Amino acid sequence: MKAKTTPIIQIHHPLFLEKNIEVWVKLDYKRHTEIQGNKWHKLKLNVREAQKLNKHTLLTFGGAYSNHIASTAAMAKYLNLNSIGIIRGEELKHHPEKWSHTLLKAHQQGMQLEFLNRYDYRLKAQDSFLERLQMQYPDAFIIPEGGSNHYAVDGFQEFMQETNQQLPDWTHLFTAVGTGGTLAGMTKYANEGNSLFSAVESDKTKQIVGVAVLKNADYLKTQIKNWIGPVNSKNANQVNWELLTQYHLGGYAKQTDQLIDFITWFEQEYSIPLDPVYTCKMFYAFFAELALNKIPNRSKVLLIHTGGLQGRQPSTI
Ligand SMILES: *Cc1c(COP(=O)(O)O)cnc(C)c1O
């Protein structure tokens, strides 16, 4: 299962000249029309594991607008597997007229949708709940909400190898954070494919910056650290990561007027479409950090567009 390489392009702005930095964007939403960006990388090894275990059903969890639900449904269809989506919100069960475009599309692609009330939904990571679910669906390979587990993290090995071939001497990498699996994977494999020569040559620390799109995201840090594990920085660049928690702009899927103005400006200026939940806040945070002089002179910044464009469609609710 190999997808095409996605482009990295340079973008320009007077502020970049003034601060003497270069800014590049990896258009990873072009990875696959329906399994965009980071969701492709996160699902890839999960699917391989499911196939190894001879399971023919992907089962996962999400809200009504979840990019992960959309991607899992598309991936299952693409590979001729069954899929089950456990969706938060019992009230949707008998009201398909209230389903979001995400749910309608997932359903059209063959995903079986089950609805859980918000209380039960909160139990979805507990062992006893998962054991019962596994008994109910013995053929299912269960993937956690948002798709994050160590298979997801390791799915970024190939991604970082590709990225480092395209732009070996980046100094800062920005990515949006929901669960943190993507940030962990990009950090774990930050040096992937870098030769000893290029590491010594560039002699620079690589800084990976995650932008949390939800409120009070500090709790994610412990899990992210565990997913990254020990980074082997011998013969390679030193890698640091950080999680910016001040750019949620009201919380998950919330938008401020300022953010809406930013999206309009950005899309017009660069002709790069943004999704309403993740990438808009990452790009917003980058420009804000730059204005605050947080990016040193002569940095080479790489902003990862992780996809999520299915979320742009008008909602049916
Ligand atoms: C899911 C998603 C993220 C967040 O990924 P995590 O691994 O959960 O942190 C970022 N960007 C887009 C477009 C996404 O769909």
Side-chain angles (χ1 to χ4, degrees):
M1 221 173 59
K2 193 120 179 94
K4 59 175 183 281
T5 297
T6 55
I8 294 185
I9 60 165
Q10 188 171 13
I11 62 170
H12 300 279
H13 189 276
L15 207 52
F16 306 164
L17 280 176
E18 187 189 312
K19 313 263 184 193
N20 192 19
I21 64 166
E22 277 182 30
V23 181
W24 298 75
V25 181
K26 185 159 176 69
L27 305 177
D28 210 44
Y29 65 87
K30 298 195 172 184
R31 184 70 53 179
H32 185 280
T33 48
E34 283 172 341
I35 315 161
Q36 287 192 344
N38 69 336
K39 297 302 185 279
W40 173 276
H41 308 295
K42 294 176 78 171
L43 281 171
K44 191 178 60 181
L45 299 185
N46 272 296
V47 167
R48 198 173 294 171
E49 186 62 18
Q51 288 172 328
K52 223 189 263 174
L53 297 172
N54 213 13
K55 308 250 184 193
H56 301 96
T57 302
L58 304 179
L59 183 153
T60 195
F61 310 85
Y65 296 91
S66 162
N67 293 333
H68 171 63
I69 288 290
S71 301
T72 305
M75 183 67 101
K77 183 173 180 228
Y78 176 58
L79 295 170
N80 243 328
L81 298 169
N82 302 315
S83 63
I84 300 171
I86 311 273
I87 309 300
R88 183 179 58 231
E90 205 176 25
E91 67 280 2
L92 294 170
K93 189 169 182 172
H94 299 296
H95 293 282
E97 77 281 1
K98 290 188 185 159
W99 289 5
S100 63
H101 63 272
T102 306
L103 294 183
L104 287 172
K105 183 83 194 284
H107 181 67
Q108 273 166 19
Q109 291 188 306
M111 181 177 258
Q112 175 185 339
L113 299 176
E114 301 291 341
F115 297 90
L116 266 193
N117 65 53
R118 279 149 218 272
Y119 176 77
D120 287 340
Y121 189 83
R122 242 173 271 153
L123 306 176
K124 68 192 175 301
Q126 290 183 1
D127 288 344
S128 55
F129 179 85
L130 291 171
E131 277 162 27
R132 259 186 295 134
L133 201 61
Q134 189 70 78
M135 281 200 288
Q136 196 180 345
Y137 302 105
D139 184 46
F141 182 78
I142 300 177
I143 302 172
E145 184 182 42
S148 289
N149 53 19
H150 72 272
Y151 299 114
V153 170
D154 288 342
F156 288 92
Q157 184 167 13
E158 257 179 318
F159 172 82
M160 287 310 300
Q161 183 167 16
E162 171 184 311
T163 300
N164 287 333
Q165 264 164 18
Q166 292 171 299
L167 200 75
D169 54 347
W170 59 268
T171 60
H172 293 67
L173 182 155
F174 278 66
T175 194
V177 170
T179 62
T182 299
L183 173 64
M186 290 179 183
T187 304
K188 181 171 178 184
Y189 295 105
N191 278 316
E192 196 67 21
N194 275 344
S195 65
L196 174 61
F197 176 73
S198 69
V200 172
E201 187 75 351
S202 61
D203 189 29
K204 280 211 170 133
T205 300
K206 294 200 179 275
Q207 183 76 17
I208 308 221
V209 185
V211 177
V213 304
L214 55 149
K215 251 186 205 166
N216 304 324
D218 283 307
Y219 76 96
L220 295 173
K221 288 179 184 168
T222 312
Q223 177 69 78
I224 291 170
K225 215 174 179 166
N226 288 337
W227 276 327
I228 296 170
V231 175
N232 179 6
S233 57
K234 205 173 137 230
N235 294 344
N237 304 282
Q238 168 87 31
V239 178
N240 295 326
W241 67 276
E242 65 184 310
L243 182 66
L244 302 181
T245 55
Q246 67 273 43
Y247 294 106
H248 58 77
L249 304 174
Y252 184 79
K254 299 280 192 326
Q255 294 194 332
T256 60
D257 290 342
Q258 227 177 350
L259 178 63
I260 293 167
D261 289 347
F262 173 81
I263 295 171
T264 309
W265 168 77
F266 182 93
E267 291 188 338
Q268 246 170 26
E269 185 74 15
Y270 299 114
S271 301
I272 297 173
L274 299 179
D275 84 289
V277 177
Y278 293 100
T279 54
C280 61
K281 290 182 186 175
M282 184 279 286
F283 283 102
Y284 180 94
F286 163 67
F287 277 91
E289 290 285 287
L290 183 60
L292 291 170
N293 284 322
K294 297 286 178 67
I295 318 276
N297 265 346
R298 285 183 292 127
S299 296
K300 195 160 183 172
V301 181
L302 177 58
L303 309 171
I304 309 293
H305 190 313
T306 41
L309 298 182
Q310 68 92 20
R312 279 164 63 91
Q313 284 161 49
S315 117
T316 53
I317 291 183

